[in-house]
Amino acid sequence: MDDKFEIKLLVGGIYYPLTIDRKDEALYREAARRINDKLSRYRERFPQLSEEKYFVMTAIHISLINQMWEQHNDTSPYKNRIEAMSAEIDSFLDGKS
């Protein structure tokens, strides 16, 4: 069975044909829904702007959210602290031997 298939996503009034993994269909459709929602909000709030600007504003918004999640999921401070604590424990145990 082929796990890839083509869907057509309607984003900003334009259909985009995409070949995707079948298991990811819901993710793509939800992404399109969120983009369309954000575009609609910008169109309502700033009716004087061009279509291009709505898309750019939406891209900035999505990129910002993505960056915030990346920072939120950054485990390096925990890793650094664990390494420091591990070194302290090793040092303590070496002193006990």
Side-chain angles (χ1 to χ4, degrees), residues 40-48:
S40 292
R41 287 185 179 175
Y42 284 130
R43 284 180 183 127
E44 288 172 10
R45 183 151 183 197
F46 306 103
Q48 73 281 7

Side-chain angles (χ1 to χ4, degrees), residues 1-95:
M1 181 176 147
D2 190 9
D3 286 346
K4 297 220 181 253
F5 77 114
E6 187 174 295
I7 63 172
K8 290 183 177 117
L9 290 182
L10 180 63
V11 178
I14 301 168
Y15 281 99
Y16 294 91
L18 299 170
T19 302
I20 63 168
D21 288 331
R22 191 170 297 278
K23 66 179 177 54
D24 295 334
E25 179 181 7
L27 295 172
Y28 279 88
R29 296 208 184 274
E30 178 62 17
R33 187 194 66 75
R34 289 181 184 194
I35 292 168
N36 286 323
D37 286 350
K38 188 54 69 179
L39 285 169
S40 292
R41 287 185 179 175
Y42 284 130
R43 284 180 183 127
E44 288 172 10
R45 183 151 183 197
F46 306 103
Q48 73 281 7
L49 299 179
S50 68
E51 280 298 304
E52 180 181 287
K53 288 188 180 179
Y54 298 132
F55 277 95
V56 170
M57 292 169 69
T58 300
I60 291 169
H61 175 83
I62 290 170
S63 181
L64 177 63
I65 296 296
N66 189 35
Q67 286 181 353
M68 291 169 68
W69 273 106
E70 285 175 3
Q71 289 177 359
H72 177 72
N73 291 326
D74 180 14
T75 59
S76 59
Y78 302 109
K79 180 183 175 203
N80 294 340
R81 183 66 181 134
I82 289 169
E83 287 173 354
M85 291 171 66
S86 182
E88 279 185 52
I89 291 169
D90 288 345
S91 176
F92 177 75
L93 293 175
D94 288 343

